[in-house]
């Protein structure tokens, strides 16, 4: 009987896999596919065609597609105007279509590829699908017609850049990633602070940052990483061209330590609330926050470009509910006067009071079931985006919420309206329910986490939630294991490799070749960096008088150093952190065989085949006065290994290197 059941299960899985393979495999999955006979092999040199009367609307999408074909496949395409041709990609606008809505499209693959949609955004989403199809069907595209559209209009990601700085290059890469998976919102949380207990229980020493240039308040902007007005404006415009709406967030009146550090008079007079609380009764606070928002919302070319701005309003002390509601009303009205739709964190279930707060037409980020759940938001007339903390919050290396999301549960059970695992699935969608966001918070300031470590955690989650928000429930057609295999095989985005994937073992300096470095020169390799899990092996012979703090390897995000502080020790630097292997000192004037292994948990140093040290597991402990307990702090000593260059023109390694090999594990 067991054998019969097992055979039946295996047969059913085989049938489902066969059905899935008769449909082009992309993420998110197509809503509808009508197959036709044959395959289309696109040429490596060709055309993306738009009609002359649609050139203004579609040229930008066509140009992005041409660049993406170059970045992903090395293909040489050009944008031309005219009619469809055999072997070309043709982009065109069609009539309004209730089935397709504002973001849907149809793709017809015959002797050419035609992508047609009522809007230019729909056409652009079709080009994202085409890129994935080409990647996943290297033998040629299945002929047929796709009809594709999202179930939910708002599909996004929120990133806390305040407690951990992310470079503008990273944010631009993330726009491309979100766009490649048809996620259309990026909320950027611009100000916040660490927890006072991790800074000696002293608010004046507690880390806080506001990441945007301010000319009205010189000195307010964080000095360890920020964005100029010009680059943040340009970033939002770039994102819009990729179909992504950037939602900037200035979080007030709590989480506001960056502002009270700048001007301590802005802090609440009631010290029990904490210095990160603005005083809700002082006119000076309203004048400051008004002026700050106005700096980015006013003028002919405002810094905040998109249609929405987030005003924060979460986790203020509950004793001030009435005044908090007054404050919330003020900034809902204030932002609206600039023609922007305000967003706010859902807090009004906890912050109860007599002061009415009109949420009609506003967008509420429903982040916690108790503070304000989805249904309460809808009943209040608000539009709602779900950021359920219990299911969609990532807080790296904090040991609460998720370090990695529960991908299988989300794929097989979650739908965007759900805030708790026991919420029933909605059979009829509310017109004011917009969608959901995955959120990453960097609560543990200074814990050593890297940009790429954060990406390693968020990217698989984005692949899962985009599937649920665009396609919906598809686990019955594509089992979880098959979906995850597709996720692993699908690129992050054209020209983006933040995971630093390397396909195979690669010799970067051959066994018969010695690279001689003088300490003031660079030798480049074919691999920029290698991601988890990996091994990098090399042999080196430092000069008898080696350079101090000498850069041995350098990449886009990190550097690996020899003779750290003239001690002979190896070290690496990235994201403003420095990590040292203290257990070993490299001898000079002789050859030594070194192997570095790295994974998402830590980094290991081997010398001549013997493990010398593993950087992992360092834990700090502090006393939390407020809660009368000890709290822990877990350090991340990880490295995506840099390989783009050996040496450096200013601080380079002096000696010889050979047998450099990178090995994906």
């Amino acid at each position: 009987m067991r054998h019969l059941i097992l055979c039946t299960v295996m047969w059913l899985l085989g049938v489902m896999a066969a059905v899935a393979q008769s449909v082009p495999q992309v993420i998110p999955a197509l809503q509808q596919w009508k197959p036709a006979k044959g395959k289309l092999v696109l040429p490596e040199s060709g055309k993306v065609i738009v009609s002359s009367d649609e050139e203004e609307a579609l040229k930008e999408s066509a140009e992005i597609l041409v660049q993406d074909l170059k970045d992903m496949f090395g293909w040489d395409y050009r944008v031309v105007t005219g009619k469809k041709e055999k072997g070309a990609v043709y982009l065109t606008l069609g009539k309004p279509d209730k089935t397709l809505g504002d973001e849907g499209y149809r793709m017809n693959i015959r002797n050419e590829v035609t992508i047609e949609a009522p809007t230019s955004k729909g056409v652009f989403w079709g080009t994202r699908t085409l890129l994935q199809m080409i990647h996943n069907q290297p033998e040629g595209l299945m002929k047929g017609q796709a009809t594709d559209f999202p179930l939910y209009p708002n599909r996004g990601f929120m990133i806390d850049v305040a407690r951990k700085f992310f470079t503008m290059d990273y944010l631009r890469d993330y726009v491309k990633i979100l766009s490649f998976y048809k996620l259309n919102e990026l909320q950027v949380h611009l100000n916040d602070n660490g927890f006072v207990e991790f800074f000696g229980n002293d608010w004046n020493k507690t880390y806080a940052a506001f990441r945007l240039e301010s000319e009205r308040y010189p000195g307010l902007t964080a000095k360890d990483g920020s964005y100029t007005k010009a680059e943040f404006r340009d970033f939002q415009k770039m994102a819009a061209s990729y179909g992504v709406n950037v939602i900037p967030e200035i979080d007030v009146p709590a989480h506001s330590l960056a502002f009270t550090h700048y001007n301590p008079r802005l802090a609440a007079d009631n010290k029990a609330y904490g210095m990160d609380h603005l005083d809700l009764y002082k006119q000076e606070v309203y004048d400051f926050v008004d002026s700050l928002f106005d700096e980015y919302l006013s003028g002919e070319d405002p810094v905040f470009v998109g249609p929405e701005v987030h005003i924060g309003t979460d986790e203020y002390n509950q004793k001030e509910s009435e005044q908090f509601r007054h404050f919330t009303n003020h900034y809902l009205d204030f932002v609206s006067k600039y023609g922007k739709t305000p967003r706010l964190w859902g807090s009004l279930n906890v912050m109860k009071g007599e002061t009415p707060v009109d949420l009609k037409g506003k967008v509420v980020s429903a982040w916690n079931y108790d503070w304000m759940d989805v249904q309460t938001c809808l009943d209040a007339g608000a539009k709602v985006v779900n950021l359920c903390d219990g299911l969609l919050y990532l807080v790296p290396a904090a040991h609460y919420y998720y370090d990695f999301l529960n991908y299988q549960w989300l794929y097989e059970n979650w739908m965007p309206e759900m805030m708790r695992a026991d919420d029933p699935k909605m059979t009829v969608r509310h017109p004011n329910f917009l969608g959901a966001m995955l959120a990453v918070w960097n609560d543990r300031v200074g814990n050593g986490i890297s940009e790429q470590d954060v990406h390693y955690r968020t990217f698989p989650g984005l692949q899962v939630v985009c599937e649920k928000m665009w396609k919906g429930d598809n686990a019955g057609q594509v089992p979880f294991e098959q979906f995850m295999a597709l996720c692993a095989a699908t690129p992050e985005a054209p020209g983006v490799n933040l995971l630093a994937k390397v396909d195979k073992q690669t010799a970067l300096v051959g066994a018969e070749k010695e690279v001689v470095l003088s300490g003031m020169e660079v030798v480049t390799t074919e691999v920029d960096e290698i991601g988890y899990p990996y091994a990098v092996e090399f042999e080196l012979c430092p000069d008898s008088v080696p350079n101090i703090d000498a850069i041995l390897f350098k990449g886009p995000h990190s550097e690996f150093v020899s003779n750290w502080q003239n001690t002979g020790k190896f070290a690496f630097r990235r994201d403003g952190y420095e990590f040292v292997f203290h257990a070993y000192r490299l001898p000079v004037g002789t050859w030594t065989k070194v192997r570095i292994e790295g994974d998402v948990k830590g980094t290991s140093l081997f010398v001549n085949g013997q493990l010398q040290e593993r950087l992992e597991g360092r834990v700090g402990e502090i006393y939390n006065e407020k809660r009368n307990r000890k709290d822990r702090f877990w350090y991340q000593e990880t490295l995506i290994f840099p390989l783009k260059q050996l040496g450096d023109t200013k601080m380079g390694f002096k000696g010889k290197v050979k047998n450099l090999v990178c090995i994906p594990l």
Side-chain angles (χ1 to χ4, degrees), residues 486-520:
L486 177 62
C487 287
T490 304
E492 293 157 72
V496 177
N497 187 17
L498 285 173
L499 293 175
K501 286 187 176 181
V502 176
D503 293 333
K504 60 184 179 180
Q505 178 171 324
T506 306
L508 301 174
V509 175
E512 303 303 320
K513 181 180 179 182
E514 292 182 3
V515 174
V516 180
L517 297 169
S518 67
M520 299 179 65

Side-chain angles (χ1 to χ4, degrees), residues 89-342:
V89 178
Y90 182 66
L91 309 181
T92 185
L93 295 173
K95 296 179 180 179
D97 186 318
K98 289 184 179 180
T99 298
L100 300 180
D102 292 332
E103 294 186 278
Y105 63 92
R106 286 190 173 86
M107 183 188 302
N108 199 16
I109 303 174
R110 293 295 188 264
N111 293 323
E112 72 290 316
V113 177
T114 299
I115 301 174
E116 180 178 348
T119 66
S120 57
K121 180 175 280 191
V123 171
F124 185 77
W125 291 145
T127 68
R128 306 301 87 189
T129 299
L130 175 61
L131 290 166
Q132 289 196 28
M133 284 181 171
I134 296 170
H135 180 272
N136 294 336
Q137 301 176 61
E139 310 250 327
L141 300 176
M142 296 183 225
K143 289 187 176 180
Q145 185 180 65
T147 301
D148 203 18
F149 50 86
L151 290 187
Y152 297 87
N154 296 59
R155 309 170 303 279
F157 174 57
M158 193 230 74
I159 185 167
D160 170 13
V161 303
R163 287 178 282 202
K164 172 173 175 52
F165 180 65
F166 292 82
T167 65
M168 184 54 71
D169 285 342
Y170 186 94
L171 294 184
R172 287 178 174 272
D173 280 346
Y174 245 76
V175 161
K176 293 179 180 179
I177 291 167
L178 297 176
S179 176
F180 195 58
Y181 290 92
K182 302 187 184 72
L183 295 162
N184 62 2
E185 292 189 333
L186 174 59
Q187 181 175 324
V188 182
H189 184 79
L190 288 166
N191 68 282
D192 216 315
N193 45 269
F195 297 162
V196 67
E197 58 265 29
F198 292 104
F199 296 88
N201 297 287
D202 185 341
W203 283 109
N204 289 309
K205 296 178 181 177
T206 300
Y207 183 88
F210 176 66
R211 297 297 183 190
L212 197 52
E213 174 191 9
S214 174
E215 294 170 286
R216 294 188 185 178
Y217 299 103
L220 173 63
T221 307
K223 294 177 176 60
D224 64 339
S226 64
Y227 315 116
T228 68
K229 289 181 177 181
E231 69 182 349
F232 197 73
R233 185 188 293 112
D234 290 345
F235 160 64
Q236 293 166 88
K237 292 178 179 178
M238 170 263 184
S241 70
Y242 279 82
V244 176
N245 175 33
V246 173
I247 303 162
E249 178 191 354
I250 297 177
D251 197 0
V252 287
H255 300 275
S256 296
L257 188 62
F259 307 139
T260 61
H261 274 178
Y262 176 76
N263 180 358
R265 294 191 307 275
L266 302 175
D269 282 344
N270 189 333
K271 303 307 178 187
Y273 297 167
M275 193 177 173
D276 63 341
H277 280 45
L278 298 177
D279 196 303
L280 302 182
Y281 297 92
K282 293 178 181 175
Q283 185 59 43
E284 185 176 6
V285 166
Y286 291 87
D287 292 342
F288 171 82
V289 178
D290 285 2
S291 180
L292 192 66
F293 272 110
D294 179 75
E295 182 172 3
Y296 306 117
L297 289 168
S298 60
E300 294 183 2
D301 190 15
V303 176
F304 290 169
V305 173
E308 297 183 40
V309 173
H310 205 295
I311 63 170
T313 68
D314 64 318
E315 297 188 300
Y316 200 88
N317 192 288
Q318 297 173 34
K319 294 178 181 178
E320 299 293 351
S321 293
E322 208 68 65
Q323 193 66 10
F324 174 88
R325 294 170 76 92
H326 168 75
F327 182 94
T328 300
N329 273 330
H330 177 84
Y331 286 102
L332 290 176
D333 292 341
F334 188 85
V335 169
S336 297
K337 291 175 183 177
Y338 293 85
K340 306 291 187 182
T341 298

Side-chain angles (χ1 to χ4, degrees), residues 539-561:
E539 294 179 50
L540 75 166
C541 178
D543 276 6
S544 57
V545 182
N547 283 348
I548 299 170
D549 289 326
I551 295 172
L552 181 57
F553 300 104
K554 192 171 185 178
H557 303 97
S558 60
E559 55 191 31
F560 189 86
V561 174

Side-chain angles (χ1 to χ4, degrees), residues 197 444 622-631:
E197 58 265 29
R444 291 296 190 254
I622 54 88
Y623 187 74
N624 185 332
E625 286 187 353
K626 183 177 180 181
R627 300 187 183 275
N628 192 27
R629 71 185 187 200
K630 288 183 178 180
D631 285 339

